[in-house]
C-alpha cells in the first residue's frame, strides 16, 4: 500500500441518532433500559469529536442528526474553521469550548424542530424508527463534495451511532446508499447502542469494509469510540480491531416481513415472497403455476410420461 | 528574444479577412468546429487553478439535457439476463492497428465488461465463446462468477484462421434455448474480421435466433458489415462500430446495464430461490462445486445442505438458485428510480425572499442566486421540494439512487406497514 501524505487525515461524518422515541421515557418502558442516558450519550459524542480534531490538526468533522421526522446537519468543521485558537485558563482551547457550545446549540434547535414536527403530525406518534436512510444519503452527498475538491483531500468515512431499530421500509434506500459508498470506497463504521443488533448496519460495515460493534457496556461509550472508531484508515491495518461476527444475509419477504431462507422471487421486479402468489404485489405481473414447475424441474431429466 | 516572441503574434493578425476564409475551406469539418466556436475563450481559471467554463449554468444545462436524453422514459428492464459473449479471435484479431493488438484490447475491454456486468446484473449469467479457425469453441459455461471467465480468457489468448458467425450463433443458441423462460437471452458479438466463412446458410441461423427470442448485438472493430447489421435489426439488438480504443470500450460497456424488455417475450414467473447462510469460520466441509475439502467460509444450500463456495450460483446438487439478499437489492434502483430534478428559475429564487434555502440540501454547498457569487443551476426535487446543487443532482441520479430530501422527510409519505 502506497503511503500518501493524507493517508492519516480523516474526514469523519458522524450520524447521531436523536430519535425521541428511542431516548424518551416511553422507550425505556418498551425496550428496557438502554444503559446510557441521552445526556451522557451526547457528552461522550462531543468529547469524541473534539478528540478526533486533536489527533490531527487537518482532520475534519461533520455531524448529522437523525431524528424520527427530519434529519439535519448540526456542525461542519470546515465552515467554522476560522475561530482563533487560544488557550484559556481551564486548559481547554477556546475553539474547543465554542465548538461544543455550537453543536449543543444546534442540537437544541434541531430537537425543538423535531418536537414541532411530531406535534404537527399526531398520528405519526407510532413511528419509533429514525430516518437513518436520509442522514446516510446526506452524508454521502457531503462526502462527494469533499472528493470533488482538488487533491489532497482527507480520507472520508462515516460513523453511525445508532440506537433505534431498523425500519423495514427503508431497506431499499439504505442498500442503495451502501452500494454507492462501496463503489466510492467509503467505509461505514457502526456503533450500535440499542438492545438488538442492527442488520442494516451489519451489512453496511461488511460490504463497505467498516467496523461494526455493539458495546457490551454502553455507559463506557467514549472509550469504545476513542479506542476503536477514532483510528484513521491507514492505522487500521496495524490494529487488532473487532472481527466481524456472522452477518445475516437472509432476506425478509415483502408480504409478511418474515426472515426466510428459501422463497419465491418475482422475475420482473425481484420482490421476495414467502409463498407462491398469483400476481406480484409490487409490479403487478401475473404468474402461472405451470411456469414454476417448468423451472424447478429444469436441471432434472424429464420424467417418463 | 523580442523577435522570436513577436513572430507568432504578427501571423495571427495577418490571418484576418479573405485569407482566413480560404484557410477555413481547406480545413476539415471537425477543425472548423473548433475554430468557429473558440471554445478555449470560454474557459477561465478558478482560485484553485482548475479550468472552469465562463457560463457555468449553460454548460450544466447542456449536461443535464444529455443525461435526460440518455435515461429516456421509464422502461421495464430485463433484470435476469443470460448473455453469451462471442469473441472473434480469428486472423483479423492479430491486426495491430490497436496496440498491442486488437485481441489484447478486446480482452481488456471484455474483462472490464465482465466485472461491470456482474456489478449491475448480480443475478445474471454470462458465458464466453471464441471464434477461431472457422469453428466456434465454448470457453466458459454460463455462470455467475466473473473470475472464472476472466481466468479462462486470459489463458486462451491466441488467434488464427477465419471467423464463422453462423457456427457461433448456432452454438450459443443451442445453450441459450435451455435456460428458463423468465431469463432474457442475449448474444454480444465483438467482431474484428471483415467476412464470415460459414458452412451453411447464415440467414437461416439469424432467423433461428430471432425465433428463439435471442437479442443479438454486435460491436465491430473494422467496418460496418451488412450481415451484422441484419442480425441486429432482426433480433432487436444494437450494432455499433468502434473508431478507436476508447470508443470500443465505451461501446462494449454500453451493454452492461440491463436492456429494455421486449413486451412480447417477457414472461413473468416466480423463481424459487434460496438465501444460504455463511458457514462458521472453522467448519470443515466438502464443497460441491470444486469437490475439495474447504475449511471455513462457504455457504450451505438451505434445501439440500450442500456446500457452495460463492454466491450467486445454482446449487450443484438440487439446482436451487442461491443468492444473498444484497444481490437482489443491487438491482432495486432500476425499479424505483429517483424522479428527475427540475431547474428552479431565477425569477422564483428572486421572488422567494427568505424561504429559499441558501445551501444545497445534500452537501451544504452554497447555491447560486441571481447576481450572487456562485454560478450554475439550482435544482429542486419534484417530491420533497428541497433544493440541490448540480453536482449533487448528478451523484444522486447516477450513483446514490436516493433523494436525501425525500428520505429525511418521509414521516407522512412512507409509514411503516405494521
Amino acid at each position: 500500500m502506497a503511503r500518501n501524505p493524507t493517508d492519516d487525515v480523516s474526514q469523519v461524518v458522524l450520524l447521531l441518532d436523536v430519535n425521541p422515541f428511542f431516548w424518551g421515557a416511553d422507550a425505556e418502558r418498551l425496550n428496557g433500559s438502554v444503559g446510557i442516558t441521552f445526556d451522557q450519550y451526547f457528552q461522550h459524542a462531543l468529547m469524541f469529536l473534539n478528540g478526533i480534531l486533536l489527533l490531527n490538526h487537518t482532520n475534519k468533522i461533520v455531524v448529522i442528526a437523525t431524528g424520527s421526522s427530519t434529519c439535519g446537519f448540526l456542525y461542519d468543521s470546515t465552515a467554522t474553521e476560522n475561530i482563533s485558537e487560544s488557550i484559556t485558563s481551564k486548559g481547554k482551547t477556546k475553539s474547543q469550548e465554542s465548538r461544543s457550545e455550537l453543536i449543543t446549540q444546534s442540537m437544541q434547535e434541531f430537537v425543538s424542530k423535531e418536537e414541532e414536527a411530531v406535534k404537527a403530525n399526531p398520528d405519526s406518534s407510532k413511528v419509533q424508527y429514525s430516518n437513518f436512510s436520509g442522514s446516510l444519503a446526506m452524508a454521502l452527498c457531503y462526502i462527494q463534495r469533499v472528493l470533488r475538491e482538488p487533491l489532497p483531500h482527507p480520507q472520508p468515512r462515516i460513523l453511525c451511532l445508532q440506537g433505534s431499530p431498523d425500519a423495514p421500509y427503508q431497506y431499499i434506500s439504505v442498500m442503495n446508499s451502501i452500494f454507492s459508498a462501496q463503489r466510492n470506497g467509503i467505509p461505514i463504521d457502526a456503533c450500535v447502542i440499542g438492545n438488538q443488533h442492527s442488520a442494516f448496519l451489519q451489512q453496511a460495515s461488511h460490504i463497505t469494509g467498516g467496523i461494526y460493534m455493539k458495546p457490551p457496556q454502553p455507559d463506557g461509550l467514549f472509550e469504545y469510540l476513542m479506542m476503536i472508531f477514532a483510528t484513521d484508515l491507514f492505522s487500521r491495518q496495524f490494529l487488532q480491531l473487532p472481527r466481524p461476527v456472522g452477518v445475516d444475509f437472509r432476506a425478509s419477504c415483502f408480504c409478511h416481513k418474515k426472515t426466510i431462507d428459501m422463497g419465491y422471487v418475482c422475475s420482473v421486479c425481484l420482490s421476495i415472497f414467502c409463498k407462491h402468489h398469483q400476481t406480484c404485489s409490487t409490479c403487478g405481473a401475473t404468474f402461472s403455476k405451470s411456469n414454476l414447475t417448468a423451472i424447478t424441474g429444469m436441471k432434472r431429466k424429464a420424467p417418463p410420461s | 528574444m523580442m523577435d522570436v516572441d513577436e513572430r507568432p503574434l504578427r501571423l495571427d493578425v495577418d490571418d484576418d479577412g479573405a485569407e482566413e476564409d480560404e484557410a477555413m475551406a481547406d480545413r476539415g469539418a471537425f477543425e472548423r468546429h473548433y475554430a468557429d466556436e473558440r471554445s478555449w475563450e470560454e474557459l477561465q481559471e478558478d482560485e484553485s487553478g482548475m479550468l472552469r467554463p465562463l457560463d457555468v449554468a449553460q454548460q450544466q444545462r447542456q449536461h443535464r439535457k444529455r443525461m435526460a436524453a440518455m435515461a429516456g422514459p421509464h422502461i421495464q428492464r430485463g433484470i435476469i439476463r443470460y448473455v453469451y459473449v462471442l469473441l472473434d479471435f480469428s486472423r483479423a484479431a492479430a491486426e495491430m492497428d490497436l496496440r498491442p493488438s486488437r485481441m489484447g484490447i478486446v480482452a481488456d475491454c471484455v474483462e472490464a465488461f465482465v466485472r461491470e456486468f456482474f456489478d449491475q446484473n448480480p443475478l445474471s449469467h454470462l458465458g464466453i465463446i471464441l471464434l477461431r479457425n472457422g469453428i466456434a469453441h465454448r470457453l466458459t459455461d454460463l455462470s455467475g462468477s466473473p473470475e472464472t471467465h476472466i481466468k479462462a480468457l486470459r489463458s486462451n489468448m491466441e488467434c488464427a484462421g477465419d471467423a464463422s458467425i453462423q457456427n457461433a450463433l448456432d452454438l450459443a443458441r443451442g445453450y441459450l434455448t435451455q435456460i428458463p423462460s423468465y431469463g432474457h437471452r442475449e448474444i454480444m458479438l465483438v467482431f474484428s474480421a471483415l467476412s464470415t466463412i460459414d458452412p451453411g446458410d447464415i440467414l437461416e441461423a439469424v432467423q433461428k435466433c430471432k425465433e428463439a427470442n435471442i437479442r443479438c448485438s454486435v460491436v465491430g472493430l473494422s467496418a460496418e458489415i451488412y450481415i451484422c447489421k441484419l442480425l441486429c435489426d432482426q433480433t432487436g439488438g444494437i450494432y455499433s462500430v468502434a473508431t478507436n480504443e476508447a470508443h470500443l470500450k465505451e461501446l462494449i460497456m454500453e451493454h452492461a446495464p440491463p436492456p429494455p424488455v421486449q413486451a412480447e417475450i417477457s414472461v413473468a414467473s416466480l423463481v424459487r430461490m434460496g438465501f444460504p447462510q455463511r458457514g462458521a469460520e472453522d467448519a470443515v466441509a466438502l464443497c460441491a462445486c470444486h469437490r475439495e475439502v474447504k475449511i471455513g467460509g462457504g455457504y450451505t444450500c438451505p434445501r439440500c445442505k450442500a456446500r457452495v463456495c460463492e454466491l450467486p450460483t445454482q446449487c450443484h446438487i438440487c439446482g436451487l438458485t442461491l443468492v444473498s439478499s444484497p444481490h437482489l437489492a443491487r438491482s432495486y434502483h432500476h425499479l424505483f428510480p429517483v424522479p428527475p430534478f427540475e431547474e428552479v428559475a431565477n425569477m422564483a429564487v428572486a421572488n422567494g425572499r427568505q424561504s429559499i434555502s441558501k445551501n444545497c440540501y445534500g452537501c451544504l454547498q452554497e447555491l447560486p442566486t441571481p447576481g450572487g457569487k456562485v454560478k450554475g443551476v439550482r435544482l429542486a426535487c419534484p417530491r420533497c421540494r428541497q433544493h440541490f446543487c448540480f453536482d449533487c443532482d448528478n451523484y444522486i441520479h447516477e450513483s446514490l439512487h436516493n433523494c436525501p430530501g425525500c428520505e429525511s422527510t418521509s414521516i407522512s409519505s412512507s409509514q411503516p406497514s405494521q
Side-chain angles (χ1 to χ4, degrees):
Chain A
M1 192 184 185
R3 179 85 168 82
N4 289 328
T6 59
D7 260 351
D8 50 1
V9 180
S10 319
Q11 162 80 59
V12 181
V13 181
L14 178 68
L15 309 185
L16 268 182
D17 189 0
V18 290
N19 180 2
F21 297 98
F22 173 75
W23 290 108
D26 286 350
E28 223 158 277
R29 213 165 3 90
L30 288 171
N31 307 337
S33 162
V34 180
I36 182 169
T37 63
F38 181 73
D39 231 27
Q40 290 170 315
Y41 163 80
F42 187 58
Q43 285 305 323
H44 288 195
L46 280 183
M47 284 193 283
F48 168 69
L49 290 170
N50 282 324
I52 293 251
L53 290 173
L54 285 175
L55 278 174
N56 188 326
H57 71 283
T58 42
N59 278 356
K60 303 271 194 301
I61 55 163
V62 167
V63 188
I64 301 177
T66 319
S68 72
S69 58
T70 48
C71 303
F73 283 96
L74 289 187
Y75 181 75
D76 176 2
S77 66
T78 30
T80 49
E81 220 165 34
N82 302 324
I83 305 165
S84 61
E85 298 257 340
S86 63
I87 310 282
T88 60
S89 53
K90 287 177 212 156
K92 278 183 183 174
T93 60
K94 209 170 201 168
S95 69
Q96 221 171 323
E97 268 187 356
S98 62
R99 186 181 309 121
S100 306
E101 265 168 36
L102 217 75
I103 300 178
T104 317
Q105 199 188 335
S106 42
M107 174 64 97
Q108 273 161 353
E109 279 166 24
F110 180 82
V111 169
S112 52
K113 221 167 59 186
E114 173 95 1
E115 197 184 343
E116 274 170 36
V118 172
K119 274 182 186 155
N121 270 355
D123 55 318
S124 67
S125 54
K126 275 175 275 164
V127 188
Q128 40 162 310
Y129 303 114
S130 58
N131 266 322
F132 174 59
S133 62
S135 55
L136 192 57
M138 283 162 99
L140 287 166
C141 277
Y142 185 90
I143 287 176
Q144 280 304 307
R145 180 181 146 194
V146 174
L147 294 179
R148 274 196 300 271
E149 278 164 15
L151 289 165
H153 44 64
Q155 299 277 311
R157 63 176 197 265
I158 298 176
L159 169 59
C160 311
L161 271 177
Q162 190 77 359
S164 326
D166 293 338
Y169 65 96
Q170 289 178 3
Y171 177 71
I172 292 169
S173 36
V174 169
M175 290 312 274
N176 281 342
S177 298
I178 293 174
F179 294 131
S180 185
Q182 182 198 19
R183 269 194 290 276
N184 289 309
I186 304 163
I188 301 178
D189 298 334
C191 183
V192 176
I193 304 155
N195 285 309
Q196 65 259 69
H197 279 285
S198 159
F200 283 179
L201 289 173
Q202 277 181 335
Q203 299 200 10
S205 57
H206 180 262
I207 291 171
T208 60
I211 307 166
Y212 174 88
M213 165 136 201
K214 187 178 175 307
Q217 282 177 299
D219 49 350
L221 180 67
F222 175 69
E223 284 212 296
Y224 295 106
L225 289 177
M226 271 333 263
M227 302 311 290
I228 295 160
F229 296 101
T231 44
D232 58 77
L233 300 186
F234 182 73
S235 315
R236 283 188 186 183
Q237 53 186 316
F238 308 111
L239 296 176
Q240 288 284 334
L241 293 165
R243 294 277 297 278
V245 277
V247 183
D248 194 350
F249 277 133
R250 283 176 306 168
S252 57
C253 68
F254 283 26
C255 39
H256 305 96
K257 304 266 179 250
K258 263 194 311 196
T259 310
I260 49 174
D261 55 7
M262 224 192 306
Y264 296 93
V265 175
C266 168
S267 72
V268 178
C269 67
L270 303 184
S271 305
I272 307 163
F273 303 103
C274 57
K275 55 178 194 279
H276 192 266
H277 287 251
Q278 287 300 317
T279 55
C280 171
S281 59
T282 314
C283 66
T286 44
F287 314 119
S288 53
K289 193 84 185 169
S290 57
N291 257 338
L292 179 82
T293 44
I295 295 152
T296 42
M298 183 188 72
K299 279 258 162 167
R300 310 218 181 107
K301 280 180 199 156
S305 52
Chain B
M1 276 304 284
M2 284 303 282
D3 275 2
V4 181
D5 278 344
E6 260 173 23
R7 209 173 300 144
L9 265 179
R10 210 171 48 231
L11 270 176
D12 270 355
V13 175
D14 284 349
D15 253 353
D16 271 342
E19 229 174 278
E20 192 178 287
D21 287 345
E22 233 167 73
M24 292 293 273
D26 292 342
R27 284 186 190 144
F30 71 97
E31 283 175 303
R32 267 202 304 276
H33 173 72
Y34 288 116
D36 289 348
E37 297 231 315
R38 293 186 167 267
S39 49
W40 56 88
E41 285 179 0
E42 288 162 14
L43 290 175
Q44 68 174 15
E45 220 170 280
D46 68 359
E47 60 272 15
S48 54
M50 311 265 261
L51 285 178
R52 298 230 182 273
L54 270 178
D55 191 356
V56 187
Q58 193 53 41
Q59 194 177 18
Q60 292 180 348
R61 264 180 220 124
Q62 276 171 8
H63 183 263
R64 276 174 52 78
K65 212 185 254 172
R66 258 202 318 277
M67 296 315 288
M70 265 170 68
H74 182 45
I75 32 169
Q76 192 189 337
R77 290 176 183 277
I79 282 180
I80 305 184
R81 305 166 72 186
Y82 288 81
V83 182
Y84 257 111
V85 179
L86 317 185
L87 298 180
D88 171 9
F89 276 7
S90 64
R91 227 173 4 231
E95 197 89 18
M96 309 236 293
D97 49 358
L98 300 177
R99 298 275 157 191
S101 68
R102 285 185 183 177
M103 181 177 63
I105 298 297
V106 166
D108 286 350
C109 291
V110 168
E111 180 176 336
F113 168 76
V114 168
R115 291 188 196 283
E116 183 69 17
F117 177 84
F118 285 111
D119 193 52
Q120 297 215 22
N121 312 276
L123 295 180
S124 300
H125 294 245
L126 186 137
I128 299 179
I129 288 177
L130 297 184
L131 284 68
R132 194 188 283 158
N133 285 327
I135 56 165
H137 152 71
R138 185 172 67 155
L139 187 67
T140 51
D141 228 342
L142 279 175
S143 81
S145 143
E147 294 313 320
T148 332
H149 300 302
I150 291 166
K151 224 169 104 188
L153 181 64
R154 285 291 170 204
S155 57
N156 250 291
M157 295 285 286
E158 51 192 84
C159 47
D162 299 306
S164 162
I165 297 186
Q166 191 206 352
N167 280 341
L169 287 183
D170 284 342
L171 185 70
R173 183 172 49 82
Y175 291 117
L176 284 176
T177 43
Q178 292 170 15
I179 63 150
S181 59
Y182 58 82
H184 293 267
R185 304 154 184 195
E186 286 172 65
I187 285 176
M188 185 178 103
L189 171 62
V190 183
F191 200 61
S192 304
L194 278 168
S195 60
T196 159
I197 313 292
D198 297 321
D201 184 3
I202 187 166
L203 297 174
E204 204 177 296
V206 172
Q207 201 53 38
K208 277 184 184 158
C209 280
K210 191 186 173 189
E211 279 160 20
N213 286 328
I214 302 175
R215 182 180 190 264
C216 306
S217 302
V218 182
V219 177
L221 270 86
S222 36
E224 186 169 306
I225 299 164
Y226 172 71
I227 190 65
C228 296
K229 195 164 178 58
L230 180 83
L231 171 69
C232 298
D233 279 351
Q234 292 283 312
T235 58
I238 306 168
Y239 182 37
S240 44
V241 177
T243 54
N244 58 34
E245 193 185 321
H247 191 215
L248 174 70
K249 183 157 191 189
E250 198 180 301
L251 292 178
I252 290 181
M253 285 309 192
E254 258 171 34
H255 293 276
V261 169
Q262 287 151 304
E264 66 270 24
I265 59 159
S266 62
V267 184
S269 51
L270 274 182
V271 189
R272 192 145 199 193
M273 287 190 189
F275 305 98
Q277 275 190 297
R278 213 180 147 72
E281 283 304 320
D282 47 359
V284 181
L286 266 174
C287 86
C289 32
H290 304 92
R291 298 190 183 85
E292 281 168 19
V293 179
K294 294 263 168 84
I295 300 170
Y299 301 85
T300 313
C301 169
R303 186 152 73 184
C304 66
K305 308 289 177 226
R307 176 66 68 96
V308 292
C309 289
E310 52 184 10
L311 297 180
T313 183
Q314 213 139 43
C315 175
H316 293 253
I317 308 297
C318 67
L320 185 70
T321 310
L322 303 176
V323 296
S324 73
S325 54
H327 286 125
L328 294 175
R330 242 174 220 281
S331 301
Y332 285 147
H333 71 82
H334 290 302
L335 310 162
F336 312 105
V338 184
F341 289 177
E342 298 152 358
E343 191 179 335
V344 183
N346 273 341
M347 282 301 287
V349 180
N351 295 339
R353 296 174 307 273
Q354 250 68 26
S355 58
I356 291 287
S357 56
K358 268 174 70 186
N359 300 85
C360 168
Y361 191 79
C363 67
L364 288 185
Q365 205 160 25
E366 206 176 314
L367 280 174
T369 44
K373 197 165 74 223
V374 187
K375 298 272 188 313
V377 290
R378 172 193 281 260
L379 303 148
C381 169
R383 268 198 303 225
C384 63
R385 314 300 327 170
Q386 297 290 357
H387 288 191
F388 293 93
C389 65
F390 170 75
D391 294 312
C392 278
D393 169 51
N394 241 348
Y395 175 64
I396 287 168
H397 286 95
E398 274 166 31
S399 173
L400 186 62
H401 306 295
N402 275 335
C403 168
C406 301
E407 290 304 326
S408 56
T409 46
S410 56
I411 187 152
S412 48
S413 54
S414 51
Q415 285 274 335
S417 48
Q418 279 194 329

